[in-house]
């Protein structure tokens, strides 16, 4: 069996879909379904079980698994409960790492581009302890992910036991189907598509940094299908371990993203720029762009979808349909 933690979430449910599409029905999901409709992310899937996170370690006792894909986390960059975030994102990850080490089970886990903070030190996925210690995450979520990266890197540096395969994936700005339960953490495209479709005004943030135009704040937007391909490649390539950026390597603006949405729907652009809330201005990233050389050197050659093609696929296959779920 394969275990996917966070399997009812955004990226996790897309990984589960890809596993089903590849003929794998022996998939166990660990997640909360809650009351926000997350179950719909799995409504088309075939599973063995859904295990609540609090029961996971007991469920694992005596199990034999092919791999653990650990995507479960509190992923809101606005989270403020430090104890809950640390327990969920760090301590549970450590318990899973220890279990996979003892059971000799491959372990693929989600890190985050949020570990890079404001990007002042760059976006190089150097997994050495000296390199990681230079990073300064700007929010609680990024810090919790960074702490786990440091813990894994410490074991590598000390020659301590690890799973037969371990891979940390620093996801950049992922968008695509099944993100709808994420509320304010959904991509701007998912949040604003109904406005695009109706011809209403779409609001983007003004720039509060000299030399950067309104709406020209840039992110490394990556379509979820590309992320899933990397995960599936790692499952099929157990010889590869390491910490890897997962992005396109090309930063694009929020304005580009929304113009692509208008083009995909055939609607005339209608964008206005509003002041960024003061409470987030000091922690706002104006630029993220992954360096993906290490992933390529490790052997990945799956390529990445262009922003325009990704938006066209998302709009045409999901957002502009009655059933938006994968």
């Amino acid at each position: 069996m394969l275990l996917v933690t966070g399997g009812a979430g955004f990226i996790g449910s897309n990984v589960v879909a890809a596993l089903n599409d590849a003929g794998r029905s022996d998939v166990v999901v660990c997640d909360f379904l809650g009351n926000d409709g997350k179950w719909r992310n799995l409504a088309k899937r075939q599973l063995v079980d859904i295990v609540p996170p609090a029961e996971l370690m007991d469920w694992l006792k005596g199990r034999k698994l092919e791999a653990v894909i650990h995507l479960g986390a509190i992923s809101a960059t606005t989270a403020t409960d430090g104890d809950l975030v640390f327990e969920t994102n760090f301590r549970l990850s450590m318990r899973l790492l220890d279990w996979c080490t003892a059971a000799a089970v491959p372990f693929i886990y989600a890190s985050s581009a949020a570990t890079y903070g404001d990007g002042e030190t760059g976006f190089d996925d150097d997994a050495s302890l000296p390199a990681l210690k230079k990073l300064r995450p700007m929010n609680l979520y990024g810090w919790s992910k960074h702490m786990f990266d440091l813990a894994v890197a410490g074991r590598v540096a000390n020659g301590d036991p690890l799973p037969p395969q371990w891979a940390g994936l620093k996801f950049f700005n992922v968008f695509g189907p099944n993100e709808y339960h994420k509320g304010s953490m959904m991509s701007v495209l998912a949040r604003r598509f109904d406005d695009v479709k109706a011809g209403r005004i779409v609001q983007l943030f003004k720039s509060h940094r000299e030399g950067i135009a309104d709406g020209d704040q840039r992110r490394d937007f990556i379509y979820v299908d590309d992320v899933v391909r990397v995960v599936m490649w790692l499952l099929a390539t157990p010889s590869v371990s390491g910490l890897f950026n997962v992005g396109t390597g090309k930063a694009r603006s929020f304005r580009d993203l929304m113009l692509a949405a208008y083009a995909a729907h055939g609607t005339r652009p209608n964008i206005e720029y509003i002041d960024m809330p003061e409470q987030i201005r000091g922690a706002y990233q104006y630029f993220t762009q992954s360096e993906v050389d290490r992933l390529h050197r490790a052997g990945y050659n799956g390529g990445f979808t262009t922003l325009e093609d990704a938006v066209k696929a998302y709009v045409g296959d999901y957002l502009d349909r009655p059933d938006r779920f994968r």
Side-chain angles (χ1 to χ4, degrees):
M1 291 189 297
L2 291 158
L3 172 66
V4 182
T5 74
F10 169 34
I11 297 174
S13 64
N14 278 276
V15 169
V16 172
L19 290 169
N20 276 185
D21 290 346
R24 299 295 299 263
S25 58
D26 55 342
V27 179
V28 175
V29 163
C30 174
D31 211 334
F32 298 107
L33 293 182
N35 301 306
D36 56 3
K38 276 172 67 176
W39 69 271
R40 294 186 184 279
N41 289 344
L42 295 173
K44 302 171 186 176
R45 307 278 71 88
Q46 185 175 0
L47 305 169
V48 173
D49 199 0
I50 300 176
V51 180
E55 299 175 16
L56 179 59
M57 298 316 296
D58 283 337
W59 182 87
L60 283 169
K61 290 177 181 177
R63 299 277 179 181
K64 292 184 178 180
L65 298 178
E66 184 177 329
V68 171
I69 305 165
H70 180 40
L71 305 175
I74 294 174
S75 58
T77 57
T78 54
T80 58
D81 188 333
D83 296 315
L84 180 62
V85 169
F86 193 75
E87 173 64 30
T88 303
N89 293 4
F90 179 81
R91 297 190 70 210
L92 176 58
S93 298
M94 291 298 295
R95 290 193 286 271
L96 277 174
L97 177 66
D98 289 340
W99 185 88
C100 287
T101 301
V105 171
F107 181 67
I108 298 168
Y109 75 91
S111 181
S112 172
T115 58
Y116 291 116
D118 63 5
E120 186 176 327
T121 58
F123 300 95
D124 183 359
D125 51 358
D126 185 341
S128 68
L129 276 174
L132 289 174
K133 287 179 178 179
K134 293 177 183 177
L135 302 183
R136 295 292 181 268
M138 298 174 71
N139 54 57
L140 178 59
Y141 164 68
W143 172 74
S144 68
K145 289 294 189 178
H146 181 55
M147 288 293 288
F148 187 66
D149 289 342
L150 282 169
V152 175
R155 293 191 179 190
V156 173
N158 294 330
D160 294 335
L162 284 164
Q165 179 189 27
W166 66 271
L169 303 179
K170 292 199 173 194
F171 297 134
F172 277 68
N173 284 72
V174 189
F175 68 100
N178 294 10
E179 62 174 315
Y180 320 117
H181 65 283
K182 293 171 66 68
S184 63
M185 292 294 109
M186 277 193 295
S187 68
V188 172
L189 174 55
R191 292 203 311 271
R192 298 290 178 255
F193 178 72
D194 287 341
D195 293 327
V196 169
K197 186 174 181 177
R200 294 189 293 264
I201 292 172
V202 169
Q203 295 180 331
L204 297 177
F205 286 143
K206 291 180 180 178
S207 171
H208 295 272
R209 185 171 294 182
E210 188 176 347
I212 298 177
D214 294 341
D216 200 38
Q217 302 93 332
R218 294 177 179 250
R219 296 286 184 274
D220 191 334
F221 297 108
I222 180 169
Y223 196 43
V224 70
D225 285 7
D226 293 340
V227 168
V228 170
R229 274 194 292 272
V230 173
V231 172
M232 297 294 284
W233 172 75
L234 283 165
L235 285 173
T237 318
S239 60
V240 173
S241 292
L243 184 63
F244 303 105
N245 284 334
V246 181
T248 66
K250 186 174 179 61
R252 299 291 299 275
S253 71
F254 283 99
R255 186 172 185 273
D256 289 340
L257 179 71
M258 295 316 302
L259 289 177
Y262 281 110
H265 189 259
T267 307
R268 185 175 180 178
N270 189 7
I271 299 172
E272 73 172 13
Y273 300 97
I274 61 172
D275 286 328
M276 189 182 299
E278 289 191 15
Q279 62 266 30
I280 69 170
R281 289 183 196 178
Y284 189 83
Q285 289 177 303
Y286 273 74
F287 181 85
T288 65
Q289 181 171 282
S290 63
E291 297 181 20
V292 290
D293 290 348
R294 280 190 174 82
L295 186 62
H296 290 148
R297 288 200 299 270
Y300 183 73
N301 59 6
F304 300 104
T305 312
T306 66
L307 180 69
E308 285 75 15
D309 286 345
V311 169
K312 183 178 180 180
Y314 191 13
V315 169
D317 295 342
Y318 300 100
L319 291 178
D320 201 26
R321 291 175 178 261
D323 180 1
R324 294 182 170 184
F325 292 87
R326 180 174 182 182

